[in-house]
Amino acid sequence: MRNWRLFGRFLAKLVPLMEDIRQTGCVTFAVSEARDGMKVVPSRSSEWVRPVTSQKPASAIIEIDRVSQVFQTSARREHLALSDISLTIEEGAFVSILGPSGCGKSTLLYIVGGFVSPTSGAVRMKGQTITGSGPDRGPVFQEFALFPWKTVLGNVMYGPRQQGVRANEAEAQSRALIEMVGLKGYENFYPKELSGGMKQRVALARTLAYHPEVLLMDEPFGALDAHTRTRLQNDLLNIWERDRKTVLFVTHSVDEAVFLSDKVVMMSKSPGRIREVIDIDLPRPRRRNELLLDPRYQKYVVDIERMFDESDEAGSLS
Amino acid sequence: MMSPSAVTKRAAPVLACIGLLAVWQVASLALKNDSFPTAIEAIRAIPDILGDKESLINILASLRRMTIGFGIAVLVSIPLGLLMGRSRAVAAFFNPLLMVIYPVPKAALMPIVMLWLGVGDITKTLVIFLGVSLPVIYHSFEGAKAVEEKMLWSGAAMGLSPLQRLVRIVLPAALPEILTGCRTGLVLALITMITSEMIARQSGAGNILFNALDMGQYDTVYAMIIIVGAMGICLDAVFERVRARLVRWSEPQFDMPLSFS
């Protein structure tokens, strides 16, 4: 009897939750760890958790080693934003960190960037412990963070100039990059004259200009409308296919994570933990119109969404 | 060709001035008071003042003090305000000091400063410096505080040191706000300039005004008021030109053609 009732409640909650995730990409329920042995293990987990299947032996470029982050929210309260995160990112991999708002996924990215110091644990880049930011890790933020007093060209040239590249050389490289991100003709525009999508293209070009080994993308398309978002995803993939830089990509959109990534790291919140690491075994180069019809793609999306639902369900029932 | 609305916009300040002078003229004619000359009498007195070598030297001396006081204030206040905006420790140290000085009319400090430094240029320049500093510090502080963290992170990732970030990111990003402070500071510099010369009467535009008042030359008094007002308008207009040029890149904002702050 009790089981049936539970199942009924489960179904009742599942429908609005699915809508939630589809629309906002985030889960409005508090996720907490399953207790009393009620941990929900997704029945088909074995089907999508596969061993790494890349041909060449991948070498680790970033190692996140038992990182925890505690924020002081008020005089006496502390919030455990990240709890004991360990993750290895291989060179040339496109890795997405996927999770609900407030799961600490952006904080994790800032720690890798060296903008925030972890409370405990360490991050290593090529074996070297990260103590601060550096041009080997280039961030792209949701807020664009362009320099508004510089033109598009000035923004893109800023990094190379800072690195000591000569002006005419930096300009030539920057012009090429601006063309690559599809903004040829906008070199002398100021950021305020550009739309959100264009600003993010400039931000991407600006970061690519100083040749970071790792791109750190913090919900870069989160502030854009659906159409622009899709176009930028496609363009990002095309650009990425050329040199296959290592990308760490934070998002709350399941579709986006699956479409772009080799590997999706699912996080749960309060405290932020890694729930699952899923290898996305889809062929590249990926084309949106083919992929959306591909049952394998659809299955990844549905399975990941279901996992989020189940974790919420486990949290709210226990 | 200008559109009709553009013509109105251009003509409006001129019309306002003419209107004011007309009201003045009518009021003066109606009151027939010796101490209230007509607008035309006052305007006629202007060439006499500007033609007089002594007066001209006085006015230029005033402007020199104002320029020096304003210049030093800006050079000191902008770095201090920016540091306060980016460092909680610096802000915690200076904030209480500024809070104490802020509401004090700077001219009220004149007697004390005069006791120490006399009635010469140094005293007057110092008072102008104090008058200009506070709005510039305040606006630089607010501007620096509002600079997006992510913008600084982007700079840090490119390899900018903390000092470079302050000079090359915080300063330009806060520039619109800083210049707003400077504009207020400029008007305050003019006001403090005149007040300081009223208190320490030795030379300057304020001195001419009060000497004329003592001698009952009311047309000169009013003429001086017009000259000081015109100087304010010119300085502000020139500064606004420079400001608009420097921050062309920032959001267009509604702005009065003249400042009355």
Side-chain angles (χ1 to χ4, degrees):
Chain A
M1 271 303 280
R2 189 169 171 272
N3 282 342
W4 280 112
R5 233 184 359 252
L6 277 180
F7 185 65
R9 277 162 65 186
F10 169 75
L11 278 184
K13 280 181 177 167
L14 193 63
V15 176
L17 259 172
M18 287 292 277
E19 276 307 303
D20 251 353
I21 290 189
R22 277 194 183 284
Q23 285 166 8
T24 63
C26 67
V27 179
T28 45
F29 280 70
V31 183
S32 65
E33 284 296 294
R35 272 173 278 157
D36 309 327
M38 265 195 66
K39 181 147 178 110
V40 178
V41 179
S43 54
R44 303 188 204 173
S45 61
S46 58
E47 284 182 52
W48 35 254
V49 180
R50 291 198 188 89
V52 182
T53 52
S54 59
Q55 291 85 358
K56 58 175 181 187
S59 60
I61 185 162
I62 289 172
E63 291 160 277
I64 301 169
D65 186 11
R66 282 167 296 155
V67 161
S68 293
Q69 182 70 46
V70 179
F71 286 123
Q72 196 93 29
T73 49
S74 63
R76 288 190 194 161
R77 273 211 194 146
E78 287 184 338
H79 171 67
L80 183 60
L82 291 172
S83 170
D84 205 32
I85 305 273
S86 290
L87 182 68
T88 300
I89 292 154
E90 279 136 20
E91 193 157 2
F94 199 122
V95 178
S96 285
I97 303 177
L98 178 68
S101 308
C103 74
K105 54 194 191 298
S106 289
T107 307
L108 184 60
L109 193 84
Y110 302 156
I111 291 173
V112 175
F115 309 122
V116 172
S117 301
T119 312
S120 68
V123 181
R124 281 182 295 276
M125 165 113 185
K126 294 185 157 177
Q128 294 255 312
T129 303
I130 290 170
T131 53
S133 51
D136 52 347
R137 285 151 289 138
V140 177
F141 298 107
Q142 182 178 10
E143 302 88 342
F144 321 126
L146 295 173
F147 303 137
W149 62 94
K150 291 269 179 196
T151 59
V152 168
L153 183 64
N155 267 282
V156 179
M157 278 176 69
Y158 208 96
R161 290 294 287 144
Q162 181 64 27
Q163 305 290 306
V165 178
R166 295 211 347 246
N168 50 1
E169 204 174 316
E171 187 179 329
Q173 287 174 12
S174 299
R175 284 185 186 279
L177 270 171
I178 291 166
E179 190 172 352
M180 186 173 89
V181 298
L183 287 179
K184 192 173 169 58
Y186 290 96
E187 288 84 353
N188 296 321
F189 280 57
Y190 284 100
K192 69 161 181 184
E193 300 166 305
L194 305 177
S195 69
M198 292 160 93
K199 282 182 193 163
Q200 197 56 288
R201 288 168 188 275
V202 178
L204 179 62
R206 181 179 69 169
T207 300
L208 291 173
Y210 52 93
H211 307 296
E213 288 179 62
V214 181
L215 269 182
L216 302 173
M217 308 190 78
D218 178 25
E219 299 196 40
F221 310 142
L224 308 176
D225 63 82
H227 176 66
T228 311
R229 194 183 170 108
T230 308
R231 284 186 54 187
L232 272 148
Q233 285 170 0
N234 292 334
D235 290 356
L236 175 66
L237 264 195
N238 288 336
I239 291 167
W240 181 78
E241 302 279 1
R242 297 185 195 184
D243 56 357
R244 302 239 171 170
K245 261 184 211 309
T246 312
V247 179
L248 196 53
F249 189 102
V250 164
T251 180
H252 57 224
S253 156
V254 176
D255 313 312
E256 184 170 82
V258 174
F259 177 56
L260 296 171
S261 316
D262 296 319
K263 200 182 255 190
V264 173
V265 178
M266 282 178 67
M267 287 184 66
S268 59
K269 79 171 184 185
S270 313
R273 285 209 172 95
I274 293 181
R275 263 182 55 88
E276 209 65 71
V277 178
I278 300 147
D279 286 302
I280 306 295
D281 193 10
L282 293 170
R284 290 191 190 269
R286 293 178 188 168
R287 262 174 265 289
R288 184 169 203 86
N289 49 5
E290 293 167 11
L291 214 61
L292 288 181
L293 295 171
D294 190 325
R296 288 174 296 177
Y297 167 82
Q298 293 160 356
K299 183 159 162 45
Y300 280 122
V301 173
V302 172
D303 282 345
I304 290 171
E305 284 184 352
R306 184 186 295 134
M307 278 188 72
F308 274 122
D309 295 347
E310 282 168 355
S311 76
D312 297 332
E313 203 51 37
S316 54
L317 283 179
S318 62
Chain B
M1 262 318 274
M2 276 196 290
S3 66
S5 69
V7 172
T8 321
K9 219 169 119 188
R10 281 281 177 91
V14 180
L15 286 174
C17 286
I18 292 171
L20 185 69
L21 290 173
V23 171
W24 175 3
Q25 184 74 16
V26 170
S28 169
L29 288 172
L31 289 171
K32 289 200 176 79
N33 190 327
D34 276 351
S35 63
F36 189 28
T38 63
I40 290 169
E41 279 166 346
I43 290 169
R44 274 209 192 120
I46 293 175
D48 291 344
I49 298 173
L50 295 181
D52 183 42
K53 204 177 161 200
E54 186 89 357
S55 305
L56 215 55
I57 289 172
N58 269 309
I59 293 173
L60 288 177
S62 291
L63 283 174
R64 199 190 66 222
R65 282 193 291 272
M66 193 190 103
T67 312
I68 295 172
F70 178 79
I72 297 175
V74 164
L75 287 180
V76 172
S77 306
I78 294 175
L80 178 61
L82 293 183
L83 275 174
M84 282 173 65
R86 295 316 307 177
S87 157
R88 241 174 246 179
V90 177
F93 181 81
F94 282 102
N95 249 335
L97 292 175
L98 298 175
M99 291 293 249
V100 171
I101 306 171
Y102 204 18
V104 178
K106 303 308 163 286
L109 298 172
M110 276 290 287
I112 308 168
V113 184
M114 272 158 67
L115 279 179
W116 290 89
L117 301 170
V119 291
D121 279 359
I122 298 177
T123 300
K124 290 169 195 160
T125 311
L126 182 68
V127 173
I128 293 170
F129 166 84
L130 288 173
V132 176
S133 295
L134 287 154
V136 179
I137 292 175
Y138 176 74
H139 281 275
S140 306
F141 168 66
E142 290 294 327
K145 223 169 46 170
V147 174
E148 243 185 292
E149 194 82 53
K150 307 276 165 70
M151 210 191 277
L152 292 165
W153 288 359
S154 297
M158 293 173 187
L160 273 81
S161 68
L163 183 66
Q164 283 180 317
R165 268 175 270 163
L166 192 71
V167 176
R168 292 178 49 193
I169 295 181
V170 178
L171 176 65
L175 198 61
E177 183 74 32
I178 292 171
L179 291 179
T180 305
C182 289
R183 199 175 169 190
T184 312
L186 189 66
V187 177
L188 281 175
L190 192 77
I191 294 169
T192 357
M193 178 190 92
I194 298 292
T195 12
S196 72
E197 288 159 1
M198 286 174 169
I199 297 167
R201 283 176 54 186
Q202 195 193 31
S203 71
N207 190 41
I208 299 174
L209 201 155
F210 273 69
N211 275 344
L213 191 67
D214 287 349
M215 291 186 281
Q217 297 166 335
Y218 297 110
D219 51 349
T220 310
V221 172
Y222 279 83
M224 263 325 280
I225 293 173
I226 295 176
I227 292 174
V228 171
M231 271 180 353
I233 290 172
C234 289
L235 282 172
D236 190 65
V238 169
F239 187 84
E240 179 51 25
R241 273 278 173 94
V242 176
R243 192 197 69 83
R245 191 144 243 247
L246 284 172
V247 297
R248 225 174 2 182
W249 50 268
S250 75
E251 302 301 324
Q253 44 188 219
F254 175 78
D255 210 17
M256 295 288 287
L258 299 170
S259 161
F260 298 101
S261 52

